[in-house]
Amino acid sequence: MELPKSFREALDKKIPLLFDGATGTELYNRGLFINRCFEDANLSSPSLILELHNDYVKAGAEVISTNSWGANSHKLQKHNLQDETRAINRKAAQLARQAIGGNGYVAGSVGPLGVRIEPLGPTSFEEAKAAFAEQIRGLQEGGVDLLSLETFGDISELHQAILAAQEVAPKLPILAEITVNIEGNMPYGTPAEWAVKKIIQWGV
C-alpha cells in the first residue's frame, strides 16, 4: 500500500506504521565502542549509520528514527561536541531521509538532556527548553517528518521538550513517550495516567 505523503495524514487515516528498532544497541553490535559518542557517527561514520537505516528499510520499516537520541548540547559537551549540535542533528535527519526516501517517514529522535532540571536540579526550565530547541532546529533543517520525544522519566522535562518543539517546528507532529516502572509510575513518582492526561492537554 502506498503511504500518504505526510505522517499526520497517516495518523488521521489510522494507518498502522512499522517503526525501526534500536539504534544505539545496533551500532554497538556493529563495532562502535560504548565510550564513543554514537551521535557523532553521523559526521564521522555516515556510511555506518546509513547501512543501519538501510537494513531497517529492507526489513520493512516505514518510519526511520534518526541517530540523534543523545544529540543535545548537554550530552554532547561530555565529548566536546556541543558546538556541533545542529550539524549532528541535521546530518542525522539527512541520513535517515536518504535511506527511506519517499517510501516512509523520518522521525527526529530526541531524548532527555542527561541533567536534572528544576526543582530537582540546577538546570532551569528555560535552559532546558533552549537546549531542546537547538537540537530540534537541526532535525527540522535535515527534513524530519515528525518528532519523537523518547524515554522521558521527568514529566517537567518532557514538557519543556514539547514547548520547544511547538515553538521551533509548529507544523511537525509530536510523539511523546514516557518511561514507567512496574507500579505504573514514572521514575520520579508521577503516575502514568496523570502524565498521559497532561501530555494530551499539551497538544501532542
Side-chain angles (χ1 to χ4, degrees):
M1 182 185 70
E2 186 173 344
L3 294 173
K5 187 174 181 180
S6 76
F7 179 80
R8 192 180 296 278
E9 185 179 350
L11 283 184
D12 291 340
K13 292 183 177 179
K14 294 181 169 54
I15 297 174
L17 295 171
L18 182 64
F19 276 64
D20 56 3
T23 298
T25 303
E26 275 301 308
L27 291 178
Y28 177 77
N29 290 339
R30 294 170 191 233
L32 278 189
F33 290 110
I34 197 70
N35 61 345
R36 275 197 59 184
C37 176
F38 284 11
E39 290 78 14
D40 179 49
N42 296 324
L43 302 179
S44 61
S45 305
S47 59
L48 176 63
I49 306 303
L50 186 59
E51 176 188 63
L52 172 60
H53 291 330
N54 282 331
D55 284 348
Y56 275 130
V57 172
K58 291 174 186 175
E62 296 161 308
V63 184
I64 296 295
S65 302
T66 57
N67 177 39
S68 57
W69 179 82
N72 63 71
S73 58
H74 290 276
K75 285 187 174 177
L76 292 176
Q77 189 173 23
K78 298 175 182 177
H79 303 275
N80 295 315
L81 292 167
Q82 64 272 19
D83 293 338
E84 300 294 326
T85 300
R86 282 177 73 168
I88 288 172
N89 283 280
R90 188 185 309 115
K91 187 65 173 179
Q94 291 169 344
L95 289 169
R97 174 60 65 201
Q98 186 176 341
I100 197 71
N103 300 315
Y105 312 108
V106 174
S109 175
V110 177
L113 297 176
V115 296
R116 289 196 170 188
I117 68 172
E118 61 176 303
L120 302 172
T123 307
S124 70
F125 290 145
E126 282 303 313
E127 289 171 330
K129 180 181 171 185
F132 286 124
E134 182 182 20
Q135 179 178 6
I136 291 167
R137 284 191 184 94
L139 292 170
Q140 184 182 41
E141 290 167 358
V144 298
D145 297 297
L146 64 140
L147 295 169
S148 179
L149 312 181
E150 300 185 66
T151 64
F152 277 79
D154 181 352
I155 191 66
S156 296
E157 184 181 13
L158 177 57
H159 189 203
Q160 296 310 309
I162 291 170
L163 290 173
Q166 291 171 335
E167 183 176 299
V168 172
K171 294 184 179 180
L172 290 181
I174 302 169
L175 303 184
E177 304 168 22
I178 60 173
T179 60
V180 296
N181 58 26
I182 197 167
E183 285 81 27
N185 298 321
M186 296 177 68
Y188 295 145
T190 304
E193 184 178 3
W194 185 88
V196 170
K197 288 179 180 178
K198 295 302 292 184
I199 290 169
I200 292 171
Q201 289 176 14
W202 295 333
V204 172

